[in-house]
Amino acid sequence: MNRLRIGHLADIDEKGARTFMVLDTEIAVFKLSDGSLHAVENRCPHKGGRLSEGMVCGTAVHCPLHDWKIDLRSGKVYEPDDGCLNTYKTEVDDNSGEIYITIAG
C-alpha cells in the first residue's frame, strides 16, 4: 500500500470536487457537506463520464452524462443501473490540512 499526499483540504470547496492524477489514473476527491472526503476514480463505469463534473447529493454523485447515481463511499452504482468503480481511503492531517490517499500496490 502506498500513502500519497495529493493536496490540501483548502483546495476543495464544500460540496465540491478536485481531480488529481496518480500514476495513470485520474482520481476525484469530493468534500461532502459534513466535511468528509471521498476519493474515487474520476470515470463513470457506464460511459466514462467525468464524475468530478457531476452533481453531489448526500453521499452520492450523479454522472453528468447519463445521470447514473454512484455511492462515493463504496463506489457502487445504484439500481436499476449496475457497476462499480475504485475508491481510495482518504486521510487529512489535522495539523497541516494535507490530504493523503492510499493506493494499493
Side-chain angles (χ1 to χ4, degrees), residues 26 40-52 61-70 75 77 81-86:
E26 186 173 44
V40 299
E41 283 182 86
N42 192 31
R43 60 157 195 80
C44 178
H46 177 229
K47 296 281 185 179
R50 297 188 79 223
L51 297 176
S52 60
V61 62
H62 292 258
C63 177
L65 294 182
H66 300 102
D67 203 37
W68 277 35
K69 185 176 176 184
I70 301 161
V77 174
D81 303 309
D82 186 41
C84 193
L85 53 92
N86 289 327

